[in-house]
Amino acid sequence: MTAVDEPPVTPQEPAQEQQPERPIGFGRMKRKEDPRFVRGKGRYVDDIQLPGMLHGAVLRSPFAHARILSVDTSAAEAHPRVKAVITGETLAGLGLAWMPTLSRDTQAVLATDKVRFQGQEVAFVVAEDHYAARDAIELIDVEYEPLDPVVNARHALAAEAPVIRDDLEGRTDNHVFDWEAGDSAATEEVFARADVVVEQTMLYPRVHPAPLETCGAVASMDPVDGKLTLYSTTQAPHAHRTLYAMVAGIPEHKIRVVAPDIGGGFGNKVGIYPGYVCAIVGSIVTGRPVKWMEDRSENLMSTSFARDYHMAGEIAATREGKILGVRVEVLADHGAFNSTAQPTKYPAGFFHIFTGSYDIEAAHCRVTGVYTNKAPGGVAYACSFRVTEAVYLIERLVDCLADELGADPAELRMRNLLRPEQFPYENKTGWTYDSGDYPACLRKAMDLVGYEELRKEQNERRARGELMGVGLSFFTETVGAGPRKHMDILGLGMADGCELRVHPTGKAVVRLSVQTQGQGHETTFAQIVAEELGIPPEDVDVVHGDTDRTPFGLGTYGSRSTPVSGAAAAVVARKVRDKARIIAGAMLEVAPDDLAWTKGRWSIKGDPAMSRTIQEIALAAHGSLELPDGVEGHLEATTVYNPPSMTYPFGAYVCVVDVDPGTGSVKVRRFVAVDDCGTRINPMIIEGQVHGGLADGVGMALMEIIGFDEDGNCVSGSFMDYLLPTALEVPAWELDHTVTPSPHHPFGAKGIGESATVGSPPAVVNAVLDAIGVRHADMPLTPSRVWQALQGGEVEAPQ
Ligand code: MCN
Ligand code: CUN
């Protein structure tokens, strides 16, 4: 395995960079974790087998809204292989029937009074094996009194709507929160003097992260020492541990949360689900380990969905196409419990980045959250906390404006993009974008796709009655939450610890608070340390996903690992390097100031032959060398990195589609993506992240929706109904990049994990609408919806 930067291996990888990629540590290194994955030797939660382990299954509500009249568990309890049946009543006795959510609401662990969405957890059976547990939940007799459900966010706010959260004291409606950002008076003023105002309502439908591995846990409470070990599918082991301690009253040092290999998270594994809590309670009451793994339908129907944002947007501009203002009213459907995961101050996540990448005079947004009889969760699915919705809004509005003005959408964007000299740029909702050269990025994408020729081709095809479309999107993301003074989740500040220890033989171990779900942290974090210490990345072991073995931190989501924890890894390595300098000074009998660093060694200034490598220094640090006063032996350091600000990756995407006028089916012919995530650690991993995100975008734009019928039945509970894109639906991606380092990150990196999911849906939608000459139709643009739009009729709104 080498860490050298290989020459470009695909035509997509350009020969020249704005900044040359660094030769060691940073580079196109093969993933250290893959040898175990490609051999089927990954160790996932469901692979864990503990002696005496029992199996749990959840009984779920068939109704979207119903009162629970009685729960009879006697037949299930009589099942010979059943060890325990837990109901809401059992939990109420322990004070555990309700748990706090990440948004400071409460969520029923097991329903006691009412069920509030189809698939809600009602009872939990623990049995000798998985099949017996499943059989026994069928034996539980629950008497329900069905109530009217509300699945439409607008209806939920009507005066006559049934009150879903009557458990909350004094609650007489389904309103969750109101939140606004920007300056409404200034926005009104620019709208009043604008030549053109375009309005467009749009729905970003409810979708699902749908990770390959569903959610699950193995809970093991040791009845002797009172220590709970929880193996679980979590993206945030430390935050989960603290929450379990707070909720269950188990002392925090007696809880160990382990996230072993995770088969994809995509945001689905940020929150705490009732199943985890039930597994813990099951282990406490039986005195044996309990495993709970949900199946695919349970995952799709009851765990953290994403989006469900009803947006009424307006854009104001001059006749010449200078954008003046944007405003938007949003109705945010949060389902039955407000359990979205985002920093406390921001109930609408980072939606306030809806001014996008443009130089706009004024902007204002208002977001209203509502309860509906649908599964709770929200935000998740590679979203950067609602940046997905914000980017979709602005990128659709810009295309609507182009349509209104008869302008070319690329030219309109180019004319309004922020210019490089405007950075750092404070947008109209008060967020400071760190760095960027947007026009260069868009130009690169247009050149790569051959924009002008495509427009010519489109005109020729149109003349022949063929439907071809070209769609653009230019996005700016905000990733890397904190700093801790502005950002917390349930009071836990968003900063991340990191520990680095160099062993006597020069091999190192770095311990992280973040956790990979497939992003390749075992490789890229080794590369960061390798780069800073000048040792091979193979010599750096990355430890993560185990609260007993790693320092506290808030975990992986919102593409925060590289901006926050990656920064921590660099900082801690620099601390080690500084300490190594003192020790090298003692070894060479010179003052540390007389030493200069060249990769991997400290040498006497002007006499490079007189030097000590990190490995030599590590051995001496553990040996009998006389150290200066106040300097301790060994070579290690710890840090807690509190990011000064967020990082702002960006990109320009161009999608080319062909639409079949007879069937409305869409073929994505080409997709060009030019991303900028600042300094790049591992280009191969970045490309993998972008490929996955682009596929997500094509899926959401064309296929994916979690839908409901009028009775509140979820009609997308399997992969037969919830369609995911496969290799057949996506083109060979054409990638390129620019590199604009973040000025406040130790080595200039920004996040990349969600960029393509955030940026690609509007490019695909813009392309399809461009092909069919329709101003707007809501996602997913399935063949039937495209066909309806082509017939000129109203396209039925998805539910
Ligand atoms: N990277 C890099 N150079 C940069 C930035 C990132 O080489 N300048 C590398 C990182 O070192 C890391 C990967 O790219 O190995 C992603 O880094 P980052 O952008 O920091 O994102 P996170 O590691 O925090 O991952 C979270 C992000 C999110 S929030 C979702 S959702 C998502 C995504 O990652 N879930 C994923 N990508 C995923 N990819 C896989 N395979 N599985 C998931 O569940
Ligand atoms: Cu929003 S999905 Mo990712 O932040 O875990």
Side-chain angles (χ1 to χ4, degrees):
M1 222 181 272
T2 59
V4 294
D5 217 23
E6 294 165 5
V9 291
T10 62
Q12 294 99 307
E13 189 64 22
Q16 89 285 41
E17 298 255 17
Q18 283 183 320
Q19 176 190 283
E21 299 206 287
R22 306 215 225 153
I24 298 179
F26 292 46
R28 191 178 281 278
M29 165 184 170
K30 283 190 180 162
R31 302 199 332 163
K32 289 173 71 160
E33 44 268 83
D34 282 349
R36 74 173 183 276
F37 292 139
V38 297
R39 284 182 289 184
K41 298 291 182 200
R43 189 161 187 257
Y44 299 88
V45 169
D46 206 17
D47 293 321
I48 289 165
Q49 301 292 346
L50 299 180
M53 190 174 77
L54 301 171
H55 297 260
V58 174
L59 174 68
R60 294 176 182 277
S61 167
F63 294 105
H65 201 189
R67 204 160 290 290
I68 296 178
L69 301 178
S70 63
V71 182
D72 181 355
T73 58
S74 50
E77 274 158 17
H79 188 291
R81 295 184 65 75
V82 166
K83 292 288 162 198
V85 180
I86 296 161
T87 64
E89 291 287 298
T90 331
L91 294 182
L94 299 166
L96 289 177
W98 292 82
M99 62 180 184
T101 69
L102 298 180
S103 327
R104 296 177 187 256
D105 191 3
T106 50
Q107 175 171 353
V109 178
L110 293 174
T112 46
D113 52 342
K114 278 204 315 193
V115 286
R116 293 175 169 84
F117 66 94
Q118 190 190 43
Q120 189 181 338
E121 300 78 2
V122 176
F124 188 74
V125 170
V126 182
E128 293 284 356
D129 64 82
H130 181 67
Y131 302 99
R134 289 267 160 171
D135 286 348
I137 58 175
E138 302 287 326
L139 300 174
I140 299 174
D141 190 11
V142 185
E143 204 183 336
Y144 294 101
E145 176 195 326
L147 301 168
D148 284 341
V150 199
V151 286
N152 179 305
R154 289 185 197 287
H155 299 170
L157 284 184
E160 65 278 11
V163 179
I164 298 167
R165 295 301 304 279
D166 48 357
D167 58 292
L168 299 172
E169 213 170 294
R171 178 58 67 164
T172 54
D173 59 24
N174 294 316
H175 178 265
V176 187
F177 66 85
D178 280 311
W179 185 80
E180 58 183 315
D183 184 334
S184 72
T187 308
E188 234 164 79
E189 190 272 315
V190 300
F191 269 79
R193 68 178 149 84
D195 300 323
V196 188
V197 172
V198 182
E199 294 177 29
Q200 183 60 58
T201 59
M202 54 189 96
L203 168 66
Y204 206 133
R206 179 174 273 241
V207 290
H208 201 280
L212 199 56
E213 176 203 38
T214 58
C215 297
V218 176
S220 177
M221 174 59 106
D222 186 321
V224 179
D225 69 3
K227 181 146 182 171
L228 168 70
T229 303
L230 184 73
Y231 301 88
S232 79
T233 51
T234 171
Q235 296 180 218
H238 288 277
H240 280 202
R241 182 189 62 185
T242 304
L243 285 173
Y244 292 127
M246 287 172 168
V247 175
I250 303 169
E252 194 166 1
H253 65 298
K254 293 285 188 189
I255 303 176
R256 174 183 178 203
V257 176
V258 184
D261 286 328
I262 302 291
F266 307 103
N268 193 229
K269 293 164 180 169
V270 179
I272 292 183
Y273 297 118
Y276 301 161
V277 180
C278 289
I280 295 171
V281 175
S283 178
I284 293 173
V285 301
T286 59
R288 285 164 65 174
V290 173
K291 179 187 281 181
W292 165 72
M293 274 317 290
E294 64 188 8
D295 66 19
R296 180 60 57 193
S297 291
E298 292 182 286
N299 180 257
L300 285 170
M301 290 173 66
S302 71
T303 65
S304 218
F305 70 94
R307 330 289 189 244
D308 223 346
Y309 252 38
H310 299 252
M311 304 182 276
E314 290 175 273
I315 186 164
T318 65
R319 200 162 292 109
E320 295 72 39
K322 173 80 192 72
I323 302 172
L324 300 174
V326 191
R327 65 183 168 206
V328 56
E329 298 266 344
V330 180
L331 201 52
D333 186 336
H334 280 236
F337 305 103
N338 182 21
S339 65
T340 64
Q342 73 263 305
T344 306
K345 271 196 208 169
Y346 306 101
F350 300 153
F351 185 76
H352 47 249
I353 199 166
F354 71 97
T355 57
S357 317
Y358 307 106
D359 189 8
I360 291 176
E361 283 182 35
H364 183 253
C365 73
R366 194 189 313 273
V367 183
T368 301
V370 295
Y371 291 119
T372 57
N373 289 114
K374 290 149 88 172
V379 177
Y381 192 176
C383 58
S384 305
F385 301 127
R386 303 281 187 205
V387 179
T388 327
E389 289 90 327
V391 165
Y392 183 71
L393 174 87
I394 183 72
E395 289 308 294
R396 278 277 46 244
L397 282 179
V398 169
D399 261 39
C400 292
L401 178 64
D403 186 41
E404 183 75 21
L405 294 170
D408 178 86
E411 262 169 44
L412 186 63
R413 283 181 173 80
M414 198 57 106
R415 118 150 254 211
N416 287 286
L417 283 178
L418 292 166
R419 296 177 311 279
E421 64 275 15
Q422 287 177 281
F423 290 90
Y425 167 79
E426 188 182 325
N427 87 343
K428 296 302 168 194
T429 55
W431 289 68
T432 304
Y433 299 9
D434 54 354
S435 62
D437 185 345
Y438 293 180
C441 183
L442 179 54
R443 190 69 254 166
K444 202 165 195 173
M446 288 169 67
D447 289 347
L448 189 58
V449 82
Y451 188 75
E452 283 76 20
E453 294 86 85
L454 281 173
R455 287 293 179 202
K456 267 189 230 143
E457 182 194 338
Q458 184 181 32
N459 287 335
E460 288 161 17
R461 285 185 187 265
R462 270 206 188 131
R464 297 201 294 270
E466 293 172 24
L467 302 177
M468 162 189 168
V470 182
L472 285 97
S473 105
F474 196 102
F475 66 93
T476 300
E477 270 215 278
T478 173
V479 304
R484 57 198 284 274
K485 81 170 171 202
H486 295 310
M487 312 236 181
D488 71 273
I489 287 187
L490 282 179
L492 302 172
M494 301 184 84
D496 283 74
C498 191
E499 294 173 9
L500 175 63
R501 187 169 299 170
V502 185
H503 300 313
T505 54
K507 311 287 180 190
V509 55
V510 62
R511 298 173 188 277
L512 314 177
S513 59
V514 294
Q515 155 69 19
T516 186
Q517 299 92 42
Q519 298 88 336
H521 291 178
E522 287 166 43
T523 308
T524 45
F525 280 81
Q527 290 182 272
I528 294 169
V529 172
E531 170 69 19
E532 298 292 341
L533 285 189
I535 62 178
E538 294 76 11
D539 286 359
V540 185
D541 194 23
V542 176
V543 175
H544 57 180
D546 181 341
T547 56
D548 270 9
R549 298 174 68 210
T550 58
F552 187 85
L554 271 264
T556 292
Y557 42 82
S559 304
R560 63 189 298 282
S561 302
T562 306
V564 187
S565 201
V571 167
V572 83
R574 288 173 193 180
K575 281 191 178 181
V576 163
R577 202 164 73 192
D578 289 344
K579 181 169 180 187
R581 181 183 203 164
I582 297 170
I583 296 166
M587 293 168 81
L588 293 164
E589 296 176 350
V590 294
D593 282 352
D594 293 333
L595 296 172
W597 174 257
T598 45
K599 194 154 268 176
R601 61 179 66 227
W602 285 107
S603 357
I604 295 181
K605 286 177 185 164
D607 188 3
M610 287 300 288
S611 71
R612 291 293 179 269
T613 65
I614 280 287
Q615 290 84 350
E616 289 164 343
I617 298 167
L619 191 57
H622 290 83
S624 56
L625 175 76
E626 176 97 6
L627 294 171
D629 283 349
V631 178
E632 294 176 339
H634 303 182
L635 194 53
E636 57 195 50
T638 66
T639 197
V640 177
Y641 188 78
N642 181 28
S645 181
M646 311 267 288
T647 67
Y648 292 75
F650 57 91
Y653 291 175
V654 190
C655 176
V656 184
V657 300
D658 296 297
V659 177
D660 181 337
T663 63
S665 79
V666 175
K667 173 139 184 66
V668 180
R669 190 204 300 176
R670 288 181 65 194
F671 201 110
V672 163
V674 178
D675 274 282
D676 193 319
C677 58
T679 305
R680 291 153 42 103
I681 303 163
N682 187 323
M684 181 192 73
I685 287 181
I686 290 171
E687 286 162 15
Q689 291 289 299
V690 173
H691 286 180
L694 295 176
D696 280 344
V698 169
M700 284 184 284
L702 303 181
M703 307 156 76
E704 295 178 37
I705 181 169
I706 295 283
F708 294 85
D709 70 13
E710 283 169 6
D711 296 327
N713 295 309
C714 177
V715 297
S716 316
S718 81
F719 281 159
M720 296 292 283
D721 306 297
Y722 190 78
L723 302 183
L724 294 179
T726 68
L728 295 179
E729 281 83 27
V730 301
W733 312 110
E734 300 169 65
L735 307 191
D736 205 335
H737 59 277
T738 58
V739 176
T740 319
S742 169
H744 63 71
H745 185 278
F747 57 93
K750 307 180 179 188
I752 188 68
E754 294 159 301
S755 290
T757 315
V758 165
S760 57
V764 181
V765 171
N766 286 344
V768 175
L769 297 176
D770 180 56
I772 64 178
V774 168
R775 184 173 283 180
H776 183 76
D778 283 328
M779 296 185 283
L781 295 173
T782 57
S784 74
R785 297 168 61 76
V786 171
W787 190 84
Q788 278 175 44
L790 274 171
Q791 307 315 301
E794 181 90 344
V795 182
E796 195 189 317
Q799 186 74 263

